[in-house]
Amino acid sequence: MATVSSAPLSDPALLAAAGRSKAWPFEEAKKIVARIEKRKDASKPVIFETGYGPSGLPHIGTFGEVARTTMVRHAFRVLTGDSVPTRLLCFSDDMDGMRKVPDNVPNPELLRANLGKALTNVPNPFDNGYPSFGHNNNAKLRQFLDAFGFDYEFMSATEEYKKGTFDDMLLRMLAKYDAVMEIMLPVLREERRKTYSPFLPVHPKTEVVMQVPVEERNVEKGTIVWTDPATGERFETLVTGGHAKCQWKPDWALRWAALGVDYEMSGKDHIDNVKTSSRICKVLGGTPPDGFNFELFLDENGEKISKSKGNGLT
């Protein structure tokens, strides 16, 4: 990717020009500079993050989010003379349950038979060797980003949940369950409030990511109790180790707190969601990231492009 200058990032003239710049990436980067000046540990890397839902093939919106974030990251490096380490995490929500079948993939009946399962447990409709639909879409994302030379670290929700990256925060959320519910319930429709829980247990028999109310919770054991509405069978599930995941707004907050995210952008359709997740992040003891809301890519009918609809430019 082109840089603003061929001069080294520590060049005094470049630093001065960057400090005077009113370009939006530099305005955003200045917010991050002010943020880290309040930190005690100056050696800690600044964490930039982008999120990806692999419910379908990546499109230009995915590119836009990573490109914009990369611009801010570069501006931050120029402002600091590259003296502060940075990381860009591209996080895939591949443990989400598959809600609907995209219109632009082969073998739709294969996917339809596995609705509700985590995307990394849904069979791959493409004949390319990847073990699941989620793995296929993750690979497409990485090929997509690599083709443009982005500098990033890929993270999979499935892998991070299973290896325990979020375990401490999951247990903290279980302990703070009532406080999280107080934040979430007012933003839900009345009917949804009756069944809502910030935790989604993975069914031990069907592998479906269940959206069911929590009937009991045991903070000491780190478990929740729930009932399968189809069979009436009750289960006690650990919230750690990949046996459960969080609903997406609490999940966003969980990730920010666990990974120490400093900056994340999102579309303007998420303005209120950012506020909600930020409140939950604070309940978990984290500091919400700084960020910026951008306009959305629309299709020829003026509708938001969607991976599940397959109506976006590749």
Side-chain angles (χ1 to χ4, degrees), residues 48-311:
F48 296 81
E49 184 183 55
T50 65
Y52 169 61
S55 56
L57 303 178
H59 54 51
I60 193 171
T62 313
F63 168 85
E65 186 171 347
V66 180
R68 292 183 183 102
T69 307
T70 296
M71 292 176 190
V72 178
R73 183 189 186 192
H74 178 73
F76 174 82
R77 293 179 59 203
V78 173
L79 285 173
T80 59
D82 209 19
S83 61
V84 181
T86 64
R87 300 170 63 197
L88 172 56
L89 309 180
C90 291
F91 196 96
S92 173
D93 288 305
D94 57 18
M95 198 174 167
D96 287 356
M98 188 170 191
R99 292 176 296 172
K100 55 185 175 180
V101 178
D103 296 331
N104 60 344
V105 298
N107 303 313
E109 65 285 348
L110 182 65
L111 300 183
R112 198 169 292 114
N114 288 274
L115 288 174
K117 292 183 180 180
L119 291 160
T120 44
N121 280 335
V122 173
N124 184 12
F126 297 93
D127 185 19
N128 56 16
Y130 292 110
S132 74
F133 187 51
H135 286 92
N136 172 80
N137 296 340
N138 285 342
K140 292 293 183 184
L141 170 69
R142 300 178 74 171
Q143 293 165 11
F144 183 56
L145 299 181
D146 292 345
F148 288 96
F150 287 114
D151 175 25
Y152 68 95
E153 300 170 41
F154 177 79
M155 297 185 79
S156 156
T158 300
E159 294 179 5
E160 300 306 319
Y161 266 98
K162 286 185 176 180
K163 72 181 184 182
T165 300
F166 302 132
D167 280 1
D168 288 345
M169 281 298 165
L170 286 164
L171 292 173
R172 188 173 300 179
M173 185 173 290
L174 186 63
K176 300 285 186 177
Y177 185 93
D178 290 336
V180 173
M181 290 290 279
E182 285 179 10
I183 294 170
M184 284 302 308
L185 291 180
V187 304
L188 301 172
R189 296 188 301 272
E190 183 176 355
E191 184 177 341
R192 186 72 183 94
R193 293 175 192 169
K194 299 175 183 177
T195 61
Y196 184 84
S197 164
F199 292 101
L200 302 177
V202 179
H203 199 297
K205 296 181 179 179
T206 66
E207 298 184 330
V208 169
V209 181
M210 302 294 293
Q211 298 213 28
V212 290
V214 168
E215 299 167 6
E216 299 176 24
R217 55 192 173 93
N218 189 315
V219 175
E220 291 185 1
K221 293 171 63 178
T223 62
I224 54 175
V225 175
W226 54 280
T227 297
D228 183 340
T231 65
E233 189 174 4
R234 297 187 87 211
F235 297 93
E236 184 173 16
T237 299
L238 287 166
V239 299
T240 54
H243 299 286
K245 71 174 298 292
C246 286
Q247 293 269 11
W248 81 269
K249 291 173 192 175
D251 185 77
W252 214 5
L254 177 94
R255 189 190 313 167
W256 289 343
L259 301 178
V261 176
D262 293 295
Y263 190 85
E264 181 162 1
M265 307 176 81
S266 58
K268 68 177 186 180
D269 54 334
H270 288 310
I271 291 174
D272 289 337
N273 300 328
V274 169
K275 294 176 182 177
T276 299
S277 294
S278 294
R279 291 179 63 195
I280 297 173
C281 182
K282 291 176 182 178
V283 165
L284 297 177
T287 302
D290 287 308
F292 182 78
N293 295 109
F294 50 78
E295 287 288 343
L296 306 177
F297 287 98
L298 306 179
D299 67 10
E300 67 273 17
N301 298 316
E303 297 180 357
K304 185 176 73 169
I305 63 175
S306 164
K307 287 182 287 294
S308 59
K309 290 182 180 178
N311 64 336

Side-chain angles (χ1 to χ4, degrees), residues 4-5 7-21 26 78-79:
V4 295
S5 170
L9 295 182
S10 58
D11 181 83
L14 181 61
L15 290 172
R20 294 190 299 270
S21 176
F26 286 94
V78 173
L79 285 173

